[in-house]
Amino acid sequence: MSEAAVRRAFDDQARVCAGLGSPFTARICELMAARLDRSYLVGQRVLDWPGQPDAHGDALPLRLCGALHALARQGRVEAVTAAWPPSPQPDDDRLWTAIQLAFRHEAPFVLDWIKGPPQTNEVGRSAALMTGLLVLADRYGLPFELYELGSSAGLNLNLDRYAFNLGGVAAGDSASPVKLVPEWIGTPPPGAAVRIAGRQGVDVDPLPTSDSTTGERLMAYVWADQRDRVQRLQAALMIAQAAPPSVARSDAAAWLERVLDPNPAAGICRVVMHTIAYQYFSADSQARVRAQLDRVGARATAEARLAWLTYEGGKPVGADGRRWAELSLTTWPGGQTQVLARGHPHGGLIEMRATL
């Protein structure tokens, strides 16, 4: 890719961050788009990035922002820690000076960090998933087995251990330290009992919650000026210490082909789910996931249901071109698909359809 494509990726990410309520991360991206140069190793590697730098490829801006936030949290470069939230914000020149110090003095750390893709496990998206499970529980009255694709650390597999207020409908564990109360527009979901009989997930590079470094890596990818997300993640990690999710290391399609048995599971609704992950799967993996769902769904019955619950990027909404996520549900027998809602990609707002 050209240097122009790299700079464009940072500009595009800046607009996304600003639209999603992170002006500080937007500033970082704007500064890197305008001021990165080849006078130091990090600048050379970034501007000569060999892959696709934008959000549909390697998400290079988010990798670099994560590396800087990690340095700030760890106190490795005093000027960076002093420039990062919750500290008072410096002007652009002082912020850029701090970033340059990080790139020059912590180049091995930064270059090693950006080798891998961003690792996010946004717990707020559990609000969308729980909305879908409430719809399924109301329709079928069956317990669920959950299969999550692109699980990261698997925190959203613990969604029934979080407390929800979804348009006035309570769900989950009311005593949980994780409280999810998204802004709600439209009809609330039905009130129903969500029973989880089993849960497992998969990720190409899972982050085990038993590893002390997992929390810090996940924290680094939360935008530094969104303190409520940081606190929510900390609480979810505490729950995961007591109830560690099971997340396999594998390609999503290969794993689903292994674990999702085509034979009907009587008395269970099996739910394959994912949030802002499918877009990162290869075209081959996407096709194989869909083929396996169709294969298993063809044998589903009224007593052995299959559902595909997704919260993924949808069409642009509004003049600013922002992309909201769509909550989509496909159920078998039948394979009918319905868009239940749309919302903020981090789950902070959900707009439900008028009818279900």
Side-chain angles (χ1 to χ4, degrees):
M1 285 288 171
S2 67
E3 176 180 327
V6 172
R7 294 190 188 278
R8 187 164 55 249
F10 280 99
D11 275 331
D12 289 345
Q13 188 62 56
R15 284 190 290 274
V16 170
C17 292
L20 295 180
S22 182
F24 178 75
T25 311
R27 282 180 66 201
I28 297 171
C29 291
E30 289 169 351
L31 287 170
M32 288 195 280
R35 303 192 188 189
L36 274 172
D37 63 58
R38 291 185 170 84
S39 64
Y40 42 90
L41 185 58
V42 171
Q44 294 171 26
R45 295 283 179 84
V46 171
L47 293 174
D48 294 329
W49 190 255
Q52 184 177 342
D54 62 22
H56 300 289
D58 297 331
L60 179 59
L62 293 181
R63 296 187 191 203
L64 211 54
C65 288
L68 289 167
H69 192 192
L71 288 172
R73 288 181 59 85
Q74 295 175 27
R76 296 172 65 111
V77 180
E78 184 178 349
V80 172
T81 301
W84 248 245
S87 300
Q89 298 301 287
D91 61 28
D92 283 354
D93 288 340
R94 284 185 292 169
L95 179 56
W96 183 245
T97 297
I99 291 171
Q100 285 184 305
L101 284 172
F103 288 165
R104 294 182 188 280
H105 296 297
E106 292 287 349
F109 177 92
V110 174
L111 294 175
D112 182 65
W113 185 282
I114 66 174
K115 286 179 183 176
Q119 277 283 12
T120 56
N121 204 166
E122 179 47 60
V123 179
R125 294 171 187 153
S126 281
L129 293 175
M130 180 57 79
T131 298
L133 293 183
L134 286 169
V135 171
L136 286 169
D138 180 64
R139 284 184 188 176
Y140 305 135
L142 294 172
F144 300 114
E145 286 183 357
L146 305 180
Y147 302 79
E148 187 185 22
L149 311 182
S151 293
S152 188
L155 300 182
N156 287 325
L157 284 167
N158 275 339
L159 79 172
D160 57 321
R161 298 181 172 112
Y162 307 150
F164 299 88
N165 182 330
L166 304 171
V169 173
D173 178 1
S174 61
S176 175
V178 176
K179 311 288 186 185
L180 294 170
V181 188
E183 181 182 349
W184 197 271
I185 301 173
T187 306
V194 171
R195 295 171 290 156
I196 310 297
R199 65 193 90 204
Q200 56 183 312
V202 65
D203 198 273
V204 291
D205 187 20
L207 295 177
T209 55
S210 59
D211 188 333
S212 60
T213 64
T214 288
E216 276 304 312
R217 189 161 187 86
L218 289 175
M219 294 288 182
Y221 280 114
V222 176
W223 296 336
D225 50 346
Q226 297 188 331
R227 306 307 296 171
D228 57 334
R229 292 178 63 206
V230 172
Q231 293 165 4
R232 187 168 60 212
L233 177 57
Q234 289 172 329
L237 285 165
M238 288 178 59
I239 291 173
Q241 292 296 315
S246 173
V247 182
R249 182 184 299 274
S250 176
D251 169 76
W255 178 81
L256 197 65
E257 290 163 351
R258 288 197 307 271
V259 304
L260 193 64
D261 192 333
N263 293 314
I268 290 288
C269 179
R270 292 182 287 178
V271 182
V272 176
M273 63 186 199
H274 46 84
T275 63
I276 319 296
Y278 201 64
Q279 69 190 57
Y280 299 113
F281 298 172
S282 69
D284 175 69
S285 187
Q286 289 181 359
R288 287 169 62 191
V289 166
R290 181 62 206 237
Q292 179 66 359
L293 286 162
D294 287 337
R295 188 178 303 118
V296 176
R299 301 185 63 179
T301 70
E303 293 75 34
R305 300 276 181 174
L306 176 68
W308 187 16
L309 181 62
T310 72
Y311 193 59
E312 296 286 347
K315 297 177 181 179
V317 177
D320 59 3
R322 285 184 297 175
R323 289 182 180 268
W324 295 108
E326 284 187 345
L327 180 64
S328 177
L329 177 64
T330 305
T331 55
W332 290 267
Q336 295 90 356
T337 299
Q338 181 181 16
V339 176
L340 301 177
R342 67 182 184 182
H344 189 289
H346 296 154
L349 180 150
I350 295 176
E351 181 180 16
M352 202 74 170
R353 291 178 63 96
T355 59
L356 297 175

